Amino acid sequence: DEVRQNVLLNMCFNMGIYKLLNFEKMLVALMHRDYETAAGEMINSFWAKQVGRRAEELFEQMRKGGE
């Protein structure tokens, strides 16, 4: 959905496409529409530690989508 697409756009803008593509487990989870796993891969990353609160916001958006 649009909310989850915006999460990916935000991450891509923040770290660049090549680093985003290194989130292989997250991307596989997204292909299977397993949003809980995808969100977990995001929040348990070095990136999340770097961006702090913003990662928590994106984590929730990935989990919930456009409910």
Side-chain angles (χ1 to χ4, degrees):
D1 63 23
E2 188 175 339
V3 171
R4 292 181 175 114
Q5 288 176 5
N6 285 332
V7 169
L8 294 174
L9 285 172
N10 188 293
M11 291 176 72
C12 187
F13 181 79
N14 181 257
M15 70 179 90
I17 187 67
Y18 296 110
K19 289 185 181 176
L20 179 61
L21 291 174
N22 285 324
F23 280 70
E24 294 174 8
K25 291 179 184 176
M26 179 193 75
L27 295 172
V28 168
L30 288 173
M31 285 190 283
H32 291 100
R33 297 176 192 237
D34 181 357
Y35 303 117
E36 287 290 329
T37 299
E41 291 297 322
M42 289 169 55
I43 205 68
N44 292 320
S45 68
F46 181 69
W47 163 81
K49 290 172 183 57
Q50 288 181 309
V51 298
R53 182 172 165 86
R54 184 65 183 144
E56 294 171 18
E57 294 170 2
L58 294 174
F59 166 79
E60 287 300 324
Q61 292 173 19
M62 180 60 76
R63 282 186 58 240
K64 296 178 182 176
E67 292 181 344

